[in-house]
Amino acid sequence: MLRALRDIAGRRDPVPDNVLAAARASIAWRDPDAALAQLTADSAASRLVAVRGGGSPRLLSFFGGSLTIDVQATTRAGAVEMVGEVSPAVPARVVLESPSGSVETDVDGEGRFRFQGVVAGSVRLRCEPVEGAAVHTEWVLL
């Protein structure tokens, strides 16, 4: 009976491909031993809903393991630029993951990193220090 209901629902109201991709990406842990960095601050939470305009940067802070990851996300012409800092500044690689794939960059000597041309949607960061455990941020919607 449940199989028949699932088949009917699948034909009448199928799950959109982008929702399936986001769900698969959200559970695809490449390193189950990595610490989860929780969102500790989000400037979008303090913005007034009725304010129009946009263009102002969104500031996000994550903390997990022994690292803090601060990110400024700015939308320009439909794409998001993310500038971030890992603290304390350690040699590391930062990977930006989304349902459409991932891109990576190295942290500079002062703990900074940058991603340009990020597609708006669900994203998370994975920080892989040269020494120490990796840290994943929560998924956030840009």
Side-chain angles (χ1 to χ4, degrees):
M1 171 117 168
L2 290 176
R3 184 178 298 157
L5 289 173
R6 187 177 352 174
D7 290 342
I8 292 169
R11 286 190 304 256
R12 290 274 193 170
D13 187 20
V15 178
D17 290 337
N18 63 336
V19 173
L20 288 173
R24 286 184 187 110
S26 71
I27 60 172
W29 282 90
R30 292 189 177 99
D31 185 0
D33 295 327
L36 177 62
Q38 295 184 342
L39 183 63
T40 58
D42 184 352
S43 64
S46 63
R47 290 188 185 143
L48 297 175
V49 175
V51 175
R52 295 167 90 184
S56 61
R58 180 175 174 190
L59 306 175
L60 303 158
S61 289
F62 301 90
F63 179 75
S66 61
L67 297 177
T68 299
I69 303 171
D70 295 312
V71 179
Q72 175 181 307
T74 306
T75 303
R76 293 189 181 111
V80 179
E81 176 186 35
M82 295 179 72
V83 177
E85 181 177 31
V86 175
S87 148
V90 294
R93 174 165 298 261
V94 176
V95 181
L96 174 75
E97 299 177 334
S98 71
S100 61
S102 63
V103 292
E104 53 189 61
T105 189
D106 289 323
V107 171
D108 71 11
E110 295 181 15
R112 297 175 298 201
F113 61 91
R114 168 184 257 156
F115 293 102
Q116 295 179 308
V118 177
V119 177
S122 295
V123 298
R124 77 172 175 183
L125 297 170
R126 185 174 75 234
C127 182
E128 301 170 341
V130 172
E131 294 182 14
V135 175
H136 291 264
T137 67
E138 295 181 36
W139 286 90
V140 293
L141 185 61
L142 298 179

